[in-house]
Amino acid sequence: MFCKEINLPPIPADIINSIEDDTSHIIKNNVNQDYGHSHYQQGLKLLPPILTDREINYQPLISWLDSFLEIPYKVYSLKYRPRKGGKILVHQDPPFRPHVLNYIIETGGENVLTSWYKEKGNPAVRDPKLPGQQSNTGKIDYDDLTLIQSACCKKDHWYFLKTNVLHDVSNLTEQRYMLSIIFENTNKKSFEEILPYLLKYDQPKIN
């Protein structure tokens, strides 16, 4: 299993609508995620989306999340603006986030798929990569990949993802916007070890 929908409640609309107006955002940067290489799939050159990545410190959101999340965490706002090819390129996430809890605010289109892959000659779960790399072995060629699983993540739903496996997002036609929660000090724990903690909150009580 590489993706599990978590039955947590939707974030209240007034909180979502106010996040962008909050001045406590730490704007990290706008990133062109091409990893320093050109990328092709079936002869088509892929231009990765522009990522705007921010840490969120908006107190109403943090207070709301604190009502049921007990493990220390950080929240990031991720916005992807698609370009040619409509794809977030295949990659593995940095070592500090081998798994992540995402809340989808804007899906990015009607049939957007998140997919996980195994690269020929390498295990599905990867060793940690260096900063700025596409993977722990460097550049990834789509011709060397075998599809393992795909999932369509719905608006206003929560998903726990295994991100130390190669994955991409395809069929983007418009902005994809989500909140991404990283659990601190859990990078040594596996997806399978964290998942039961999240599943116990299937019907959380929110005051």
Side-chain angles (χ1 to χ4, degrees):
M1 180 188 300
F2 301 93
C3 175
K4 174 65 177 177
E5 182 173 352
I6 306 297
N7 190 26
L8 296 174
I11 299 174
D14 61 322
I15 293 179
I16 293 294
N17 294 336
S18 299
I19 286 175
E20 293 304 311
D21 297 327
D22 179 55
T23 58
S24 66
H25 287 325
I26 301 172
I27 300 179
K28 298 182 73 174
N29 49 23
N30 291 329
V31 182
N32 178 3
Q33 291 188 307
D34 63 6
Y35 306 101
H37 299 283
S38 296
H39 300 269
Y40 296 84
Q41 186 175 24
Q42 298 178 343
L44 174 67
K45 184 175 183 178
L46 304 174
L47 294 178
I50 301 297
L51 166 63
T52 302
D53 180 3
R54 309 177 182 189
E55 185 177 349
I56 301 296
N57 295 309
Y58 182 49
Q59 193 55 50
L61 173 64
I62 300 304
S63 296
W64 188 84
L65 291 170
D66 280 348
S67 64
F68 54 86
L69 291 180
E70 298 170 359
I71 299 178
Y73 61 88
K74 289 185 177 180
V75 186
Y76 294 86
S77 163
L78 304 181
K79 288 186 176 181
Y80 296 89
R81 289 176 284 140
R83 299 192 295 164
K84 183 178 179 181
K87 184 182 288 288
I88 299 173
L89 294 173
V90 66
H91 64 285
Q92 68 180 95
D93 282 12
F96 64 86
R97 48 177 287 162
H99 35 66
V100 64
L101 179 64
N102 284 345
Y103 181 76
I104 307 299
I105 300 172
E106 298 173 10
T107 62
E110 293 185 359
N111 188 34
V112 174
L113 292 176
T114 303
S115 300
W116 288 262
Y117 301 90
K118 183 182 182 300
E119 184 186 27
K120 182 170 56 179
N122 284 294
V125 176
R126 316 281 293 204
D127 290 333
K129 70 174 186 177
L130 295 175
Q133 284 192 323
Q134 189 175 7
S135 77
N136 66 314
T137 57
K139 184 177 183 293
I140 298 296
D141 189 330
Y142 272 96
D143 290 339
D144 294 332
L145 301 181
T146 299
L147 177 66
I148 303 173
Q149 178 183 343
S150 292
C152 183
C153 297
K154 296 174 287 187
K155 176 180 171 64
D156 298 328
H157 287 246
W158 294 91
Y159 297 90
F160 188 50
L161 309 179
K162 185 180 288 189
T163 51
N164 57 358
V165 175
L166 294 175
H167 58 286
D168 69 7
V169 181
S170 57
N171 303 329
L172 292 172
T173 58
E174 54 198 40
Q175 176 176 269
R176 183 172 177 85
Y177 175 24
M178 59 186 154
L179 298 183
S180 192
I181 295 178
I182 300 171
F183 296 108
E184 296 187 88
N185 304 317
T186 64
N187 59 315
K188 301 296 185 183
K189 293 185 178 295
S190 70
F191 174 94
E192 290 77 12
E193 289 175 301
I194 299 296
L195 182 58
Y197 161 78
L198 295 174
L199 291 178
K200 75 179 183 178
Y201 292 106
D202 270 359
Q203 298 295 329
K205 182 179 180 181
I206 306 298
N207 295 326

